[in-house]
Amino acid sequence: MENWSVDQVCNWLRQRNLGELVPKFREEEVSGAALLALNDRMVQQLVKKIGHQAVLMDLIHKYQQQKSGLESLTRCCETASPKFPEVISGKNLKSFFARYKTLQWTSSYALPDFPYDVKCLLAEKKCPDHSMRIRIIEFLQADMTKYLEGSLYPNSQQYNIVVNALLQAYPFLDEDGNGFFLWKRALKDRFKYVRRPIEDDEQVLRNKCKFGHRRGQTRKSSFAENKPDDVQVQAEEEPVHLEGSAMGVHIKWLKQEYMKTQRNWTEVDNRMSVTIEVRRKMIGEKAPLKEILRLFPFLRCPYQLFREFQLLTHMDIYKKTVEILEVYSENILSLYVVRNNPINIMLQENLKRHTEEDILKYMKMTAACLLLPDVFGDDSSLFAAVNEEVKVVTPVLEVKNPFNVNSCEFALYVEREELAQLDDCTMALAALVAAFHVFDIPCPRRIHRTLSFLESLVFEVRSPASLP
């Protein structure tokens, strides 16, 4: 940054949503060196708005802290034992510093100073209403953006850190043990809402282009995109005649709410509960899955999929899946039958690159999840497509880069179409089991033993299935 020109400084301001300051910075010829030399008084003279002053000083302070931290880390690397030259040499240096930066962010994060009215409500330990939830989410999103130095693309680990910090500080926000999913989903939706209208940020434009967004494009459900226009209009405008007009009102509200960025999750829960009989009747009569998802699009959300499973079985599928992977992962990885499996070999290679306990645990749980069909001699292609295209119609997981902490992706597919994106292997495994029950899909014979093992543990049968 010290060697930046005035133009580079102006581009840096635009990337951090401070484009209003560009004319003044050009007029005063603020280069990179001048930017880092600014003190509080200079910033007050240069920038009119107090909010912009605070953001600018915070960014400068963060950069100086990061620079001093990286310099000290570099000195440590230079004096380190030559026993591990591959960790800090050549092309690995960039990823090494990136990982250090992530750990630094993790260890330094603290909740923001909420406004007075929010503080009063939290001090009284009252569950916030919809408008107050939005205010809390807005402050968390703005605070995360500052920590990320203006980036609008947090990774899953950073979302987890922020939501965990919130629920640890205010445990009463964890409603019925499901608060984590609600707050994380709302926080993700807030970032999407902020990114949507941005047209001058390089990172946002690059990602919009990468994932197929176009300027002015409206959101459509995935199954409607391949239909002719006249069929789409007919599908949207056709009246719902299910159990009377009152039921139709609920379904219409759910469809409209799903299209929003900020969703009223409490009301979604209520209306999904009210409409469950209609939904179960449609599923029992083998209505097309696309039609079910058109009327009840929230079944695409992992939290609602888990909630539907709980309404049917009175079992918390996600909690049970966490327990299964934590208890059985080490035993699965120690079995002789998986010793030479490509997944296990890939795991062992990646374990050598990390020392953090939480990352090692995450990798082992991911491997144990993916190796389950091989343990029981089942067909793994009916369970997960790892770095491959999904080819089966029954519920299956699509997994990309399973052992890369920063780029791993999990998704649930049904009938070769993506149903939901998932955060990690635990959520993925829970969603897979839940999908068979929620949509009443018969279990393929070639994967039966694996799912029977999982279900016996989820449903706490007296004599659960055991590993071979």
Side-chain angles (χ1 to χ4, degrees):
M1 184 179 281
E2 293 93 337
N3 300 322
W4 283 1
S5 65
V6 175
D7 288 337
Q8 287 174 310
V9 170
C10 293
N11 288 334
W12 179 79
L13 291 172
R14 292 191 191 96
Q15 291 171 3
R16 280 145 185 82
N17 300 324
L18 295 174
E20 295 180 24
L21 309 182
V22 168
K24 188 65 175 177
F25 272 62
R26 285 193 183 279
E27 180 185 341
E28 298 294 337
E29 297 184 356
V30 179
S31 63
L35 178 67
L36 294 177
L38 293 176
N39 56 33
D40 292 347
R41 186 174 180 181
M42 293 177 184
V43 171
Q44 290 173 6
Q45 293 175 347
L46 194 64
V47 182
K48 292 182 179 180
K49 294 182 179 179
I50 294 177
H52 286 169
Q53 293 174 9
V55 172
L56 183 62
M57 287 304 299
D58 186 70
L59 289 171
I60 294 173
H61 181 63
K62 289 283 194 330
Y63 175 82
Q64 291 170 339
Q65 278 188 332
Q66 176 190 345
K67 180 187 173 186
S68 61
L70 289 176
E71 286 176 349
S72 62
L73 180 64
T74 304
R75 287 195 294 271
C76 292
C77 293
E78 291 172 350
T79 58
S81 168
K83 183 178 179 181
F84 305 104
E86 69 279 2
V87 176
I88 56 173
S89 64
K91 65 180 180 180
N92 289 330
L93 186 61
K94 184 177 179 180
S95 61
F96 182 67
F97 282 153
R99 182 62 193 154
Y100 170 78
K101 184 178 177 181
T102 301
L103 292 173
Q104 190 181 44
W105 191 95
T106 303
S107 61
S108 64
Y109 183 78
L111 287 173
D113 189 19
F114 290 115
Y116 178 74
D117 57 334
V118 176
K119 285 182 179 178
C120 291
L121 182 116
L122 294 174
E124 295 173 1
K125 298 185 177 181
K126 292 182 178 179
C127 288
D129 58 16
H130 182 58
S131 61
M132 191 62 73
R133 279 177 176 272
I134 292 176
R135 291 202 65 196
I136 294 173
I137 287 296
E138 288 175 346
F139 271 85
L140 289 177
Q141 180 268 319
D143 191 59
M144 285 183 73
T145 304
K146 285 199 307 181
Y147 265 86
L148 295 167
E149 299 182 353
S151 172
L152 295 173
Y153 289 93
N155 59 37
S156 182
Q157 182 185 11
Q158 289 163 340
Y159 280 120
N160 292 345
I161 291 165
V162 173
V163 175
N164 280 326
L166 178 70
L167 298 184
Q168 287 177 6
Y170 308 104
F172 59 91
L173 296 178
D174 189 10
E175 301 173 5
D176 301 325
N178 295 318
F180 179 86
F181 294 109
L182 289 174
W183 288 100
K184 184 175 180 179
R185 182 71 266 169
L187 193 54
K188 283 186 171 183
D189 288 344
R190 177 62 189 174
F191 270 96
K192 290 181 182 177
Y193 176 79
V194 171
R195 292 194 300 259
R196 184 170 295 171
I198 294 177
E199 297 182 354
D200 59 352
D201 185 280
E202 182 181 349
Q203 185 187 23
V204 174
L205 292 177
R206 186 169 61 249
N207 278 277
K208 283 183 177 180
C209 181
K210 177 181 177 182
F211 294 106
H213 296 274
R214 297 291 182 269
R215 189 174 299 179
Q217 182 183 27
T218 56
R219 182 177 179 177
K220 298 179 182 178
S221 57
S222 60
F223 59 83
E225 290 175 350
N226 297 322
K227 293 183 179 180
D229 292 340
D230 56 340
V231 178
Q232 289 181 27
V233 172
Q234 180 183 1
E236 287 298 322
E237 295 181 353
E238 65 178 355
V240 177
H241 298 292
L242 294 172
E243 301 295 326
S245 59
M247 193 60 63
V249 171
H250 289 304
I251 293 174
K252 182 178 180 181
W253 185 93
L254 288 168
K255 291 164 65 179
Q256 292 174 344
E257 190 72 8
Y258 184 73
M259 304 302 290
K260 296 180 180 178
T261 303
Q262 299 290 340
R263 296 161 178 167
N264 185 344
W265 289 105
T266 302
E267 187 63 20
V268 169
D269 288 350
N270 292 337
R271 297 195 186 232
M272 287 293 283
S273 298
V274 170
T275 57
I276 188 170
E277 290 186 11
V278 171
R279 198 158 53 251
R280 299 321 305 169
K281 182 177 180 181
M282 290 181 65
I283 292 172
E285 294 175 351
K286 303 301 179 184
L289 180 62
K290 291 181 179 180
E291 180 66 10
I292 295 168
L293 294 175
R294 185 181 72 82
L295 298 179
F296 304 100
F298 278 100
L299 288 177
R300 294 179 176 273
C301 301
Y303 164 72
Q304 283 298 329
L305 190 65
F306 299 157
R307 187 173 181 274
E308 187 91 352
F309 183 91
Q310 191 164 13
L311 290 173
L312 296 173
T313 65
H314 306 289
M315 289 291 179
D316 187 338
I317 182 70
Y318 181 78
K319 181 180 178 181
K320 290 294 181 182
T321 307
V322 172
E323 294 173 358
I324 291 169
L325 287 181
E326 287 184 345
V327 170
Y328 285 91
S329 58
E330 292 289 349
N331 291 338
I332 291 171
L333 296 176
S334 66
L335 293 174
Y336 179 81
V337 69
V338 301
R339 182 171 300 176
N340 297 319
N341 189 284
I343 295 293
N344 199 16
I345 294 173
M346 195 187 311
L347 168 68
Q348 299 306 322
E349 291 175 353
N350 282 273
L351 289 178
K352 298 173 184 177
R353 302 173 186 172
H354 298 276
T355 57
E356 299 87 350
E357 185 176 346
D358 58 335
I359 295 180
L360 298 179
K361 180 180 178 182
Y362 165 83
M363 287 184 176
K364 290 180 180 179
M365 290 175 66
T366 301
C369 171
L370 299 178
L371 287 170
L372 269 173
D374 298 280
V375 169
F376 289 95
D378 283 340
D379 187 348
S380 60
S381 67
L382 297 175
F383 186 84
V386 181
N387 295 328
E388 294 179 355
E389 182 182 354
V390 170
K391 299 177 181 178
V392 299
V393 296
T394 52
V396 67
L397 300 176
E398 182 191 57
V399 185
K400 297 180 180 179
N401 307 317
F403 302 114
N404 189 319
V405 178
N406 296 317
S407 65
C408 58
E409 297 178 13
F410 296 86
L412 174 65
Y413 275 68
V414 181
E415 296 182 358
R416 295 194 185 95
E417 289 193 11
E418 183 179 306
L419 182 76
Q421 293 185 355
L422 309 157
D423 290 342
D424 51 35
C425 65
T426 308
M427 184 181 287
L429 187 58
L432 180 66
V433 177
F436 279 100
H437 284 266
V438 170
F439 298 113
D440 194 20
I441 297 173
C443 172
R445 182 176 55 81
R446 290 180 294 160
I447 200 71
H448 176 74
R449 284 174 290 189
T450 302
L451 291 182
S452 295
F453 167 74
L454 294 170
E455 290 173 355
S456 69
L457 296 173
V458 169
F459 294 118
E460 300 177 345
V461 299
R462 290 187 177 181
S463 300
S466 59
L467 295 174

